[in-house]
């Protein structure tokens, strides 16, 4: 047995170790979320191309910036683009670069909705767990298609093996490096190196030859310094005003709701306490009784009280109108007193009580049925000593009359065997809860107290409703104003999230709703639809400018899809309006068309015609391509 226990302990230990190892191998959620901002970069040359990885460091209404290695885009490619989806790219230009540090910042042709990645302020140290993300070209051999989107990015993990310094170029100061064992390959260049919090700690850059597990990343401090040197401004903390409004409103609404609950409970307790009326006083307003079903609803708590008392071996033996009180929850039975004289209640005490031979629970059953008769039909039971079996109770409900007569039988053995039997016989009459009402014939202090409590409760509920309305109105106005500001600033997704009552906004500012929808179409790169939507609300906010921007981006989409004639046509219309750099874009698209005709379609005559025209306009690189 001892050996078997040792074997089992060993198996359990191995299983736990395996589970622990599996848990530590899983990629942290922040890293998985951060990969959504990692992109694949394509640099196209007259005869060939190169690919690499990059990541977003800024994305707002003005611009989207991507960091990569300079060697990914060096030697003046005729086009640099970033993959947005499986079949869509967007052009990019070099905003800043350094050959000494092998870093580059690209600016996309227009802003896109990608979240900027945070930098690790303290960088990384030896032994830290890290994750390299990017698009190694060799990984494409494992699939029928190239990896273009973040969902296809490759993630490898490892640690910071050491901190190094290396001179990248033949001049300048050494570059701070991180030696890592997280595998990177050709195509990973420019991709981010993450810590477990999803913060960038480096730029994946170097692969060493004839070695295993030795790779290099440029430390994040180098990138931070490079960005500062080139006066590139990164996004600050987002405005917390809308969140502040929603948070405060939520607190106020919650407080108002709790106030309603507390006030309601308090007033209900007050009514219950004040309206604790002796049964005889309550029945003074009902000389003919309150009816069978109402009587059962009122006295059921008394029946349950007696049943529970009997189940513990105890009895009451003093059940009568003198020991019963009526409140909002129905009737309640007071505790029995120590005085034996309280047992002799005329009409309610069982005959054996008078004979000095009480029958325990059976005597309580007699008293309860007498009480039920009094409340239901208003009939005062006769003294048990003067009653005989012939004095049967009669009423319109034969079943109820039989129940009362059985419970009031002078012979204890002919009564119900237990209170549970009585409760079962009463169940057909238990059809609604008891409703407490104070009538004019009862003590006015109870009636006025109940009326006052109801009035106070209703006032408090009304006040709470008004407070809730004011809070909701204030919240709506605050969010509406914030949404309008966000929309004006081009933050359409934020504006859409703030409009929590769109139907109300559509009543008083329908064009804001349409403006936000058009902006979201633009963010989703549905440029043609976005242009039409902005033109439909011409004159509202920046709709006219954004209609031009939609056409500008649409032209870029055509160019990136090699539909250069359509791209030139759209951009030429914007050139007439002197919009942005449309004049330069027209020439760029013509140059790219020339490259396409030369290298892909091999239409040399048409390509030569384009380059000759561009040479006349002094377009950089056109003379070289004309000779080619």
């Amino acid at each position: 047995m001892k050996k078997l226990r040792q074997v089992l302990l060993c198996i359990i230990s191995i299983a736990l170790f395996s589970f622990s190892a599996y848990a530590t191998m899983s990629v942290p959620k922040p890293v998985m979320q951060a990969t959504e901002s990692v992109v694949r970069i394509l640099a196209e040359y007259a005869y060939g191309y190169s690919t690499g990885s990059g990541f977003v460091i800024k994305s707002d209404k003005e611009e989207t910036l991507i960091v990569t290695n300079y060697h990914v885009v060096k030697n003046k490619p005729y086009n640099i683009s970033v993959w947005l989806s499986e079949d869509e790219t967007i052009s990019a230009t070099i905003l800043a670069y350094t050959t000494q540090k092998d870093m580059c910042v690209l600016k996309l042709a227009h802003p896109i909705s990608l979240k900027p990645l945070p930098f690790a302020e303290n960088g990384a140290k030896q032994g830290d767990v890290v994750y390299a993300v990017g698009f190694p070209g060799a990984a494409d051999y494992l699939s029928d298609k190239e990896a273009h989107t973040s969902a296809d990015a490759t993630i490898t993990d490892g640690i910071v093996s050491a901190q190094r310094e290396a001179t990248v170029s033949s001049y300048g100061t050494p570059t701070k490096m991180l030696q890592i064992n997280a595998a990177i390959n050709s195509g990973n260049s420019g991709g981010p190196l993450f810590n477990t919090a999803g913060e960038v700690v480096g730029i994946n850059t170097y692969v060493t030859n004839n070695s295993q597990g030795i790779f290099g990343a440029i430390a994040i401090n180098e990138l931070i310094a490079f960005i500062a040197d080139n006066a590139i401004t990164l996004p600050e903390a987002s405005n917390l005003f809308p969140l502040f409004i929603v948070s405060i409103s939520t607190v106020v609404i919650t407080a108002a709701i709790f106030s309603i609950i507390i006030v309601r409970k308090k007033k209900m307790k007050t009514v219950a306490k004040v309206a604790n009326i002796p049964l005889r006083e309550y029945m003074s307003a009902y000389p003919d009784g309150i009816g069978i079903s109402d009587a059962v609803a009122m006295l059921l708590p008394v029946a349950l009280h007696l049943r529970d008392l009997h189940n513990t071996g105890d009895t009451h033996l003093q059940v009568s109108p003198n020991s019963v009180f009526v409140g909002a929850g129905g009737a309640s039975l007071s505790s029995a007193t120590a005085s034996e004289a309280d047992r002799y209640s005329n009409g309610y005490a069982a005959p054996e009580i008078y004979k000095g031979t009480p029958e325990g629970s059976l005597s309580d059953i007699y008293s309860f049925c007498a009480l039920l008769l009094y409340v239901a039909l208003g009939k005062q039971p006769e003294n048990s000593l003067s009653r005989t079996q012939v004095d049967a109770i009669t009423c319109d409900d034969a079943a109820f009359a039989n129940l009362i007569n059985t419970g009031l039988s002078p012979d204890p053995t002919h009564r119900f065997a237990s209170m549970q039997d009585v409760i079962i016989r009463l169940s057909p009459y238990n059809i609604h809860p008891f409703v407490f009402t104070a009538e004019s014939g009862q003590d006015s202090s109870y009636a006025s107290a109940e009326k006052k409590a109801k009035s106070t409760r209703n006032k408090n509920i009304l006040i709470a409703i008004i407070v809730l309305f004011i809070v909701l109105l204030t919240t709506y106005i605050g969010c509406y104003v914030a949404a309008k500001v966000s929309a004006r600033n081009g933050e359409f997704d934020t504006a859409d999230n703030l409009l929590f009552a769109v139907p109300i906004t559509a009543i008083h500012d329908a064009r804001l709703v349409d403006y936000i929808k058009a902006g979201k179409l633009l963010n989703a790169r549905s440029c043609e639809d976005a242009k039409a939507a902005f033109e439909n609300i011409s004159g509202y906010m920046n709709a006219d400018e954004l209609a031009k921007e939609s056409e500008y981006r649409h032209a870029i989409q055509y160019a990136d899809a090699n539909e250069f004639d359509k791209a030139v046509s759209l951009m030429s219309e914007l050139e007439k309006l002197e919009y942005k750099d449309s004049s330069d874009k027209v020439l760029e698209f013509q140059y790219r068309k020339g490259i396409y005709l030369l290298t892909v379609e091999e239409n040399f005559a048409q390509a030569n015609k384009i380059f000759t025209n561009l040479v006349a306009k002094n377009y950089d690189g056109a003379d070289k391509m004309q000779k080619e």
Side-chain angles (χ1 to χ4, degrees):
M1 284 296 293
K2 184 176 180 181
K3 185 176 182 180
L4 178 61
R5 283 198 300 269
Q6 290 175 339
V7 172
L8 288 174
L9 182 61
C10 181
I11 293 173
I12 292 171
S13 299
I14 293 172
L16 289 174
F17 175 78
S18 300
F19 177 78
S20 174
Y22 174 80
T24 57
M25 285 191 294
S26 61
V27 179
K29 186 176 180 180
V31 175
M32 295 300 297
Q33 292 173 335
T35 60
E36 296 175 3
S37 296
V38 181
V39 296
R40 186 166 194 172
I41 297 169
L42 173 67
E44 298 175 90
Y45 302 88
Y47 292 99
Y49 65 90
S50 68
T51 65
S53 305
F55 57 95
V56 181
I57 60 168
K58 181 181 182 181
S59 187
D60 56 23
K61 67 171 185 175
E62 300 294 338
E63 58 187 3
T64 297
L65 304 182
I66 306 288
V67 163
T68 187
N69 287 131
Y70 176 66
H71 73 257
V72 173
V73 295
K74 67 180 182 179
N75 296 331
K76 295 184 178 181
Y78 74 83
N79 185 48
I80 302 170
S81 56
V82 170
W83 287 99
L84 298 179
S85 64
E86 287 297 334
D87 53 6
E88 184 182 3
T89 61
I90 180 173
S91 300
T93 55
I94 296 175
L95 180 66
Y97 71 94
T98 168
T99 56
Q100 179 188 339
K101 301 287 186 179
D102 195 11
M103 291 183 292
C104 177
V105 174
L106 302 177
K107 180 179 178 179
L108 300 191
H110 59 75
I112 60 173
S113 297
L114 281 178
K115 186 178 180 181
L117 293 177
F119 298 162
E121 294 182 0
N122 298 322
K125 60 182 183 298
Q126 187 179 36
D128 284 354
V129 176
V130 289
Y131 298 85
V133 180
F135 296 88
D140 291 333
Y141 295 117
L142 299 176
S143 175
D144 293 333
K145 62 181 182 66
E146 279 191 346
H148 288 164
T149 67
S150 61
D152 302 321
T154 296
I155 304 175
T156 56
D157 66 331
I159 61 169
V160 176
S161 305
Q163 292 179 311
R164 305 286 188 186
E165 286 190 353
T167 302
V168 177
S169 62
S170 59
Y171 64 93
T173 58
T175 299
K176 291 182 174 62
M177 306 288 295
L178 299 176
Q179 179 188 327
I180 59 175
N181 66 350
I184 58 176
N185 293 277
S186 177
N188 272 111
S189 295
L193 183 70
F194 292 116
N195 60 17
T196 54
E199 299 170 327
V200 181
V201 296
I203 306 171
N204 303 317
T205 306
Y206 299 105
V207 178
T208 56
N209 296 323
N210 302 319
S211 65
Q212 293 182 345
I214 300 178
F215 306 95
I218 299 172
I220 191 63
N221 293 340
E222 296 284 3
L223 175 60
I224 294 173
F226 170 65
I227 289 172
D229 291 342
N230 286 275
I232 298 172
T233 57
L234 296 185
E236 299 178 354
S238 59
N239 186 5
L240 298 178
F241 175 66
L243 179 62
F244 174 77
I245 292 175
V246 175
S247 300
I248 293 298
S249 300
T250 302
V251 171
V252 174
I253 291 173
T254 305
I257 293 172
F258 271 105
S259 297
I260 294 174
I261 296 172
I262 292 170
V263 168
R264 184 177 178 84
K265 286 185 176 181
K266 184 177 179 181
K267 296 308 174 185
M268 287 178 66
K269 289 180 180 179
T270 302
V271 171
K273 182 178 179 181
V274 172
N276 198 20
I277 304 173
L279 180 60
R280 285 196 187 279
E281 184 176 321
Y282 185 85
M283 292 303 298
S284 64
Y286 306 99
D288 298 324
I290 63 174
I292 298 174
S293 60
D294 287 339
V296 171
M298 177 200 285
L299 295 177
L300 187 60
V302 175
L304 295 173
H305 183 170
L306 291 173
R307 181 200 63 186
D308 295 341
L309 200 65
H310 297 165
N311 288 342
T312 60
D314 293 328
T315 55
H316 194 280
L317 302 180
Q318 295 179 8
V319 180
S320 73
N322 299 328
S323 59
V324 175
F325 295 84
V326 183
S332 59
L333 182 63
S334 61
S335 301
T337 68
S339 174
E340 188 175 339
D342 289 338
R343 295 182 180 180
Y344 305 104
S345 179
N346 187 28
Y348 298 93
E352 60 269 17
I353 296 290
Y354 290 99
K355 297 175 182 178
T357 56
E359 292 291 336
S361 61
L362 298 178
S363 298
D364 280 342
I365 290 173
Y366 182 99
S367 300
F368 176 80
C369 290
L371 193 68
L372 182 61
L373 175 66
Y374 168 59
V375 175
L377 305 179
K379 295 183 178 181
Q380 179 68 34
E382 297 181 31
N383 189 294
S384 60
L385 293 177
S386 62
R387 287 186 67 252
T388 64
Q389 188 63 41
V390 181
D391 300 321
I393 302 301
T394 59
C395 69
D396 294 338
D397 190 320
F400 183 73
N402 179 263
L403 184 153
I404 295 296
N405 286 320
T406 301
L408 294 181
S409 175
D411 185 350
T413 60
H414 293 166
R415 298 173 197 158
F416 295 105
S418 66
M419 276 304 302
Q420 183 61 33
D421 292 340
V422 177
I423 292 170
I424 293 172
R425 290 287 295 275
L426 292 175
S427 59
Y429 302 101
N430 185 26
I431 57 177
H432 57 71
F434 174 68
V435 179
F436 179 84
T437 56
E439 299 292 340
S440 58
Q442 297 160 1
D443 190 328
S444 60
S445 63
Y446 299 115
S448 62
E450 183 190 23
K451 184 177 180 181
K452 184 177 180 181
K454 286 182 178 179
S455 176
T456 303
R457 182 173 67 246
N458 291 338
K459 286 180 181 178
N460 278 291
I461 291 174
L462 179 61
I463 291 172
I465 291 173
I466 293 172
V467 169
L468 282 173
F469 175 77
I470 293 172
V471 168
L472 289 172
L473 180 62
T474 303
T475 303
Y476 171 77
I477 292 173
C479 288
Y480 164 74
V481 172
K484 198 162 186 176
V485 171
S486 296
R488 190 182 297 276
N489 291 334
E491 299 167 355
F492 299 108
D493 290 329
T494 301
D496 186 51
N497 291 332
L498 286 166
L499 283 187
F500 65 88
V502 174
I504 296 176
T505 307
I507 294 173
H508 68 88
D509 193 354
R511 292 197 298 175
L512 175 61
V513 178
D514 293 337
Y515 188 81
I516 293 172
K517 288 180 179 177
K520 293 190 72 177
L521 285 172
L522 184 60
N523 285 347
R525 302 188 295 282
S526 299
C527 300
E528 191 171 8
D529 293 335
K531 179 189 175 185
F534 282 122
E535 287 178 341
N536 285 337
I537 51 173
S538 178
Y540 185 79
M541 288 194 188
N542 302 321
D544 295 330
E545 282 296 304
L546 288 174
K548 298 175 187 175
E549 178 65 19
S550 300
E551 187 162 332
Y552 180 85
R553 297 187 187 185
H554 195 197
I556 292 171
Q557 284 181 323
Y558 276 136
D560 290 340
N562 296 327
E563 298 184 47
F564 300 106
D565 291 338
K566 291 181 180 179
V568 170
S569 176
L570 287 181
M571 199 61 76
S572 295
E573 291 299 318
L574 292 172
E575 183 180 12
K576 297 174 184 177
L577 302 174
E578 298 182 350
Y579 184 74
K580 295 176 74 170
D581 59 346
S582 52
S583 297
D584 295 335
K585 286 294 181 184
V586 169
L587 298 177
E588 177 193 323
F589 294 162
Q590 291 173 346
Y591 180 77
R592 288 169 61 183
K593 180 182 178 181
I595 297 288
Y596 183 79
L597 291 170
L598 175 66
T599 60
V600 178
E601 295 189 358
E602 297 184 344
N603 187 341
F604 308 121
Q606 186 63 27
N608 183 56
K609 183 177 179 181
I610 291 174
F611 290 130
T612 300
N613 182 53
L614 289 172
V615 167
K617 296 180 181 180
N618 296 317
Y619 191 82
D620 186 30
D623 56 343
K624 178 181 177 182
M625 298 311 301
Q626 183 188 35
K627 295 174 183 176
E628 182 68 28

